[in-house]
Amino acid sequence: MKKKIVLLGSGELGKEFVIAAQRIGQTVIAVDSYENAPAMQVAHGFEVINMLDGAALDAVIAKHQPDFIVPEIEAIRTERFYDYEAQGITVVPSAKAANFTMNRKAIRDLAAKDLGLRTANYRYATSAAELEQAVAEVGLPCVVKPLMSSSGKGQSTIKSAEDIAKAWAYAVEGSRGDVVEVIVEAFVNFHSEITLLTVTQNNNPTLFCAPIGHRQERGDYQESWQPARVSDRDLAEAQDMARKVTEALGGAGLFGVEFFLTDEGVYFSELSPRPHDTGMVTLAGTQNFNEFELHLRAVLSLPIFEITQEKAGASAVLLATANSENPTYSGIATVAGLPKTDFRIFGKPTSRPYRRMGVVLTHDVLATPIEQLVERAQQTAQMITVNP
């Protein structure tokens, strides 16, 4: 059952996916906009193109004739996916899912309007003037996000009218693709937020991983932990919402579905049709299969009998603080000597302030208070320095 996979986007999540694919004998061609991207370092071959260039994308697909196309990022000419499906290529999880979720507008409207899921009050804006009007309608404080972006880029919170112009400029700067539009969301008074990794299968039931808690700064995750504390009622509601939205999108694969937990219930937030950055905590051995192995098995229609929680774990990111063409790392030997601890250096060829360059992982038995593991992960991450 050796298959050829074209991976569109070759960051750290893609790298772990390629490693999972290599372990069971699959062929992967990694594609990104720059050479020596993390996933390219472990793939069978690579291509460097602008994935928003439809002709360049078509050429890569025609050259490699893959069985599967696996998107890892947002900035792709996703409307081409329908043509690839018509050619008999499987787009993961489906052309519809990739199109809807690469753009926050489509997925939010599907969740709120078509499926009736509870979401924050929201509006869209295509200019600073429209943003001002949208803010007036949803109220302050509110959150502004580009319709197409990743890792929190372009996301900010508006607390007063003076913040609007700056928020618009930052959103445009952080936007991916050629869509200059933002979503404006009323601030949800949540007590925690979770990612529910949801695995859809072609011929088997949908499965859920234990919920993952996470903390964000600048719209990007800083620590994540599994299992997160969630009431039975909230977990059932989140699973019901995740099942509905993934069924509507179709296809097989792992989805990262994000929720806000509030006193009045669960709010749907966002969805990624692929392994989620907060799910890197599963690399700590918290489950019988990590999120990348689950994604691959679902893609290949290999049956997944069950997902079991084996340990409690936490992850904390390693961030660069400066621009560099050749970043190096210190403190790795210290971390390597710690018990129940692991780390990943992603191998990104360059650094810039706040760029995620690696992750540390801690784990222990399930009875361990999760706060202890998170604190240990935070402290461990501080032991490794990214040097310019």
Side-chain angles (χ1 to χ4, degrees):
M1 55 155 275
K2 187 172 185 177
K3 302 292 184 181
K4 182 184 280 190
I5 299 167
V6 164
L7 177 69
L8 298 179
S10 297
E12 58 266 31
L13 302 180
K15 185 174 189 174
E16 293 294 339
F17 177 79
V18 175
I19 290 169
Q22 293 273 25
R23 284 184 174 140
I24 60 172
Q26 307 306 298
T27 299
V28 184
I29 308 300
V31 183
D32 214 313
S33 60
Y34 65 98
E35 283 194 42
N36 202 29
M40 293 179 184
Q41 299 162 17
V42 291
H44 291 85
F46 70 91
E47 299 284 351
V48 178
I49 64 166
N50 173 5
M51 287 173 284
L52 287 168
D53 182 337
L57 196 58
D58 288 348
V60 165
I61 300 306
K63 174 181 176 181
H64 292 284
Q65 294 291 302
D67 300 291
F68 297 94
I69 295 171
V70 177
E72 193 234 6
I73 64 169
E74 289 82 3
I76 303 172
R77 188 61 62 198
T78 53
E79 67 272 14
R80 303 295 305 133
F81 289 170
Y82 293 107
D83 288 337
Y84 304 151
E85 272 191 348
Q87 295 168 30
I89 302 169
T90 300
V91 176
V92 175
S94 66
K96 178 182 178 181
N99 265 279
F100 273 56
T101 54
M102 293 300 180
N103 185 313
R104 286 188 171 99
K105 189 172 193 173
I107 190 63
R108 177 55 62 88
D109 286 349
L110 172 71
K113 296 179 180 177
D114 297 352
L115 300 177
L117 306 187
R118 185 191 292 120
T119 70
N121 186 19
Y122 66 97
R123 299 289 188 277
Y124 301 114
T126 58
S127 68
E130 287 186 10
L131 176 57
E132 192 171 344
Q133 177 64 31
V135 170
E137 292 176 8
V138 304
L140 293 171
C142 60
V143 178
V144 178
K145 305 173 187 175
L147 289 189
M148 289 181 67
S149 70
S150 66
S151 299
K153 293 181 178 67
Q155 181 175 321
S156 63
T157 300
I158 294 178
K159 297 178 180 177
S160 68
E162 289 72 40
D163 296 334
I164 294 175
K166 185 170 65 176
W168 172 255
Y170 184 60
V172 171
E173 178 189 336
S175 181
R176 285 192 173 187
D178 48 11
V179 176
V180 182
E181 188 170 3
V182 300
I183 183 170
V184 186
E185 296 178 327
F187 192 78
V188 175
N189 187 22
F190 62 91
H191 53 74
S192 59
E193 50 188 327
I194 61 166
T195 304
L196 188 63
L197 299 178
T198 302
V199 183
T200 59
Q201 304 185 78
N202 282 321
N203 302 302
N204 288 287
T206 294
L207 300 175
F208 301 100
C209 298
I212 295 170
H214 51 92
R215 184 182 72 85
Q216 296 195 29
E217 285 182 13
R218 298 172 300 276
D220 202 2
Y221 110 95
Q222 305 300 301
E223 301 94 31
S224 64
W225 53 91
Q226 186 190 41
R229 285 198 193 92
V230 180
S231 71
D232 291 344
R233 185 195 69 183
D234 284 351
L235 183 58
E237 188 174 8
Q239 288 179 344
D240 182 60
M241 288 186 183
R243 184 180 286 107
K244 285 177 179 174
V245 72
T246 54
E247 281 180 0
L249 292 170
L254 180 139
F255 294 77
V257 192
E258 295 182 64
F259 297 97
F260 294 122
L261 305 185
T262 75
D263 291 341
E264 62 263 24
V266 179
Y267 280 71
F268 172 85
S269 175
E270 293 189 351
L271 178 148
S272 299
R274 57 189 180 275
H276 198 270
D277 51 6
T278 63
M280 282 193 281
V281 67
T282 63
L283 294 170
T286 56
Q287 304 180 158
N288 56 334
F289 298 113
N290 67 46
E291 66 168 342
F292 309 98
E293 294 165 334
L294 290 170
H295 192 44
L296 177 71
R297 286 168 184 249
V299 167
L300 297 177
S301 294
L302 294 173
I304 303 165
F305 176 70
E306 63 180 350
I307 303 170
T308 57
Q309 187 77 21
E310 301 294 320
K311 305 173 187 174
S315 77
V317 299
L318 303 175
L319 299 179
T321 58
N323 293 304
S324 174
E325 296 300 312
N326 185 30
T328 60
Y329 302 83
S330 54
I332 288 175
T334 302
V335 170
L338 298 175
K340 299 179 180 178
T341 302
D342 200 358
F343 63 93
R344 298 286 189 279
I345 301 298
F346 301 146
K348 292 179 178 178
T350 62
S351 69
R352 58 180 178 270
Y354 299 117
R355 190 176 198 192
R356 191 165 59 214
M357 305 298 288
V359 66
V360 298
L361 305 157
T362 59
H363 65 86
D364 214 320
V365 296
L366 276 170
T368 308
I370 203 72
E371 295 84 0
Q372 288 183 17
L373 285 172
V374 174
E375 184 179 2
R376 217 169 81 206
Q378 290 172 323
Q379 293 173 348
T380 305
Q382 292 170 11
M383 297 177 187
I384 297 179
T385 302
V386 183
N387 305 306

